[in-house]
Amino acid sequence: MDTPEGPLPERLRTLPSRLTNGAALIANRLVDQALAQAGARRYHYALLATLEEYGPASQAALGRRTGIDRSDMVTTVNDLAERRFLDRAPDLEDRRRNIITITPAGRGHLADLDRLIAAAQDEYLSPLSAADRQSLIDLLTRLVERHGDKRHQGARPTAPS
Amino acid sequence: MDTPEGPLPERLRTLPSRLTNGAALIANRLVDQALAQAGARRYHYALLATLEEYGPASQAALGRRTGIDRSDMVTTVNDLAERRFLDRAPDLEDRRRNIITITPAGRGHLADLDRLIAAAQDEYLSPLSAADRQSLIDLLTRLVERHGDKRHQGARPTAPS
DNA sequence: TCTGTATTGTTGGTCGCACCAACGTTTGAA
DNA sequence: TTCAAACGTTGGTGCGACCAACAATACAGA
C-alpha cells in the first residue's frame, strides 16, 4: 500500500467495529508470523494450551472449552497428532469419543509457542503503557464475555443488564 | 455451539490478540448483519463515507485514503455504480484514471447505512459504559495508528518509542 | 523524439479462518 | 426395542484480505 492520501473520513475514524477489526488484523498478522516460525497455527496453540492446563479430554469437550468448531478441531488434532505433539486414543468407556492427550514433545512445542506468542503480544501492544494494556484487556474481555454469553443462549437475545 | 465446558486456559483467557480477534468477530458479525439489510458490505460504507466527506477522487486515491486494496476497490466501485450510488467517469486530464463521485441516491443510501451502522455499534458496545467506550476507542485508535504507520514504512521496522 | 519508469485500473487469482450440513457409529433413556 | 442425542468425520461454503501480472497512459530525462 502506498503512503496514505490523508485522514480517514470522520465516520470511519472512530468507528469501534472498524477499529476493532483493524487491530485484529494487526494482532493476527503478528501472531501468525510468529507461530509460522514453528510451523504452528493459532488453533494449535489454543489446543495445546488447553490440554496442558486441563489434561486429557475428548475432542467435543475440547471444542466446547475453546470454541473451536468440531470440524476445525478434527483438522487441528490431525495436525498435532501427525507431529506427535498429542496422542489420540479411543475412549474405551464410550467408543464415540477419542481421548486427546498432550505428549512430552507437545509440552516442549508449547513452550516454544509460548515464547513466540509472548513476543508477538509485546509487539502488538508496544504502543501502549502497561496500564493501558490492562485496560484494553479488561474492556475486550467484558465485550467478548458478554457477547459470548448471548451466543450461547441461542436465538433468544438477553435484555442488557 | 453447545454450552461451554468451563473456563478457557489461563494462557488464552487474557491473550490480547485472541481477545481482539474475538471482539472483531463479534463486531463484524453485527455490522455485516446490519448492512445486509440494505444489501451493503463494509467496503461499500467505507467508500460512500469517504466520497461524501472528501468529494470526487480517483480509485487509487480512494484506495490510499481508506486502505482498501486496489482490486477490492474495483469490485466495490462496480457494486455501487451498478446500483447508481456512485458515478464513474474517465478523468479527461489523465486517462489512466476514473473519477468517482457519489450520487444523490448514494447519499440517501449512506444515510440508511449510517443508521444501521450506528445500531450495530450500539449493540456491539452495549456491555460498556460511555466512558469505557471512549477508552476502548482511544486505545484501539492508538494501536491501529502506530502499527499502521509501521506498515507504511515498508520493510524498515521503526524502533519503538 | 524516444525510452524507461511509474501510475492506474483491471483481471484473476490464493489462502485461511470461521462457519455449516450430513452421515455413520455409539450410547443410554424410555 | 426404539429413538434421540452425542461424537467424530467428511465435505463443503463464503468472504475478507491480500497478491501478481498485464495493458494503457503519463511524464521525466536523454
Side-chain angles (χ1 to χ4, degrees):
Chain A
M1 176 54 68
D2 313 69
T3 56
E5 183 84 359
L8 284 169
E10 183 59 38
R11 279 182 175 86
L12 303 184
R13 207 173 300 144
T14 57
L15 198 64
S17 57
R18 185 186 163 95
L19 288 168
T20 311
N21 190 59
L25 288 174
I26 293 161
N28 287 337
R29 189 184 320 115
L30 292 171
V31 166
D32 290 345
Q33 284 170 356
L35 291 178
Q37 297 174 52
R41 321 299 301 256
R42 289 183 239 141
Y43 283 167
H44 297 162
Y45 181 69
L47 183 50
L48 289 176
T50 303
L51 289 169
E52 214 290 315
E53 179 160 336
Y54 291 106
S58 70
Q59 291 175 214
L62 291 163
R64 285 193 292 275
R65 191 185 291 277
T66 59
I68 298 175
D69 182 84
R70 295 208 309 257
S71 59
D72 298 329
M73 181 59 68
V74 172
T75 301
T76 305
V77 166
N78 286 346
D79 289 346
L80 293 170
E82 182 177 310
R83 294 172 72 186
R84 304 290 194 264
F85 292 143
L86 58 73
D87 178 71
R88 168 174 42 199
D91 184 345
L92 300 183
E93 297 186 356
D94 186 336
R95 287 203 304 280
R96 290 175 293 186
R97 297 176 167 178
N98 294 325
I99 296 297
I100 310 300
T101 311
I102 195 170
T103 61
R107 283 197 163 81
H109 186 54
L110 178 58
D112 290 345
L113 301 187
D114 276 333
R115 283 192 286 277
L116 294 171
I117 286 268
Q121 303 309 298
D122 215 40
E123 185 175 359
Y124 168 48
L125 297 176
S126 60
L128 303 182
S129 68
D132 283 342
R133 294 183 185 199
Q134 192 56 54
S135 293
L136 183 68
I137 288 171
D138 290 343
L139 293 168
L140 291 176
T141 298
R142 273 203 269 139
L143 275 178
V144 171
E145 285 187 352
R146 287 295 301 274
H147 282 288
D149 288 344
K150 289 177 184 177
R151 289 207 77 199
H152 292 138
Q153 286 166 353
R156 277 190 301 113
T158 49
S161 58
Chain B
M1 175 55 67
D2 313 70
T3 56
E5 183 86 355
L8 283 168
E10 184 57 38
R11 279 183 176 83
L12 303 184
R13 207 172 302 143
T14 57
L15 199 64
S17 58
R18 183 185 164 96
L19 287 168
T20 312
N21 190 59
L25 288 175
I26 292 162
N28 287 336
R29 189 183 317 112
L30 291 171
V31 166
D32 289 346
Q33 284 170 354
L35 292 177
Q37 297 174 53
R41 320 299 299 252
R42 290 181 239 142
Y43 284 166
H44 296 162
Y45 182 67
L47 183 51
L48 289 175
T50 303
L51 289 169
E52 214 290 315
E53 180 161 333
Y54 291 106
S58 70
Q59 291 176 213
L62 290 164
R64 285 193 290 275
R65 191 185 292 275
T66 59
I68 298 175
D69 182 83
R70 295 208 311 253
S71 60
D72 298 329
M73 180 61 68
V74 171
T75 300
T76 305
V77 166
N78 286 347
D79 289 347
L80 292 170
E82 181 176 313
R83 293 172 72 186
R84 304 289 194 263
F85 292 142
L86 58 72
D87 178 72
R88 169 174 41 200
D91 184 346
L92 300 183
E93 297 186 356
D94 187 336
R95 288 203 305 280
R96 292 174 292 183
R97 298 176 167 178
N98 294 324
I99 296 296
I100 309 301
T101 312
I102 195 169
T103 60
R107 284 198 164 80
H109 186 54
L110 178 57
D112 289 345
L113 302 187
D114 277 333
R115 282 192 287 277
L116 294 170
I117 287 266
Q121 303 310 295
D122 214 43
E123 183 173 0
Y124 168 48
L125 297 175
S126 60
L128 303 182
S129 68
D132 283 343
R133 294 184 186 198
Q134 192 55 54
S135 292
L136 182 69
I137 288 170
D138 289 344
L139 292 168
L140 291 176
T141 298
R142 274 202 270 138
L143 274 178
V144 171
E145 286 186 351
R146 289 296 300 274
H147 282 288
D149 288 344
K150 288 176 183 176
R151 288 208 78 196
H152 292 137
Q153 284 165 353
R156 277 192 298 113
T158 49
S161 57

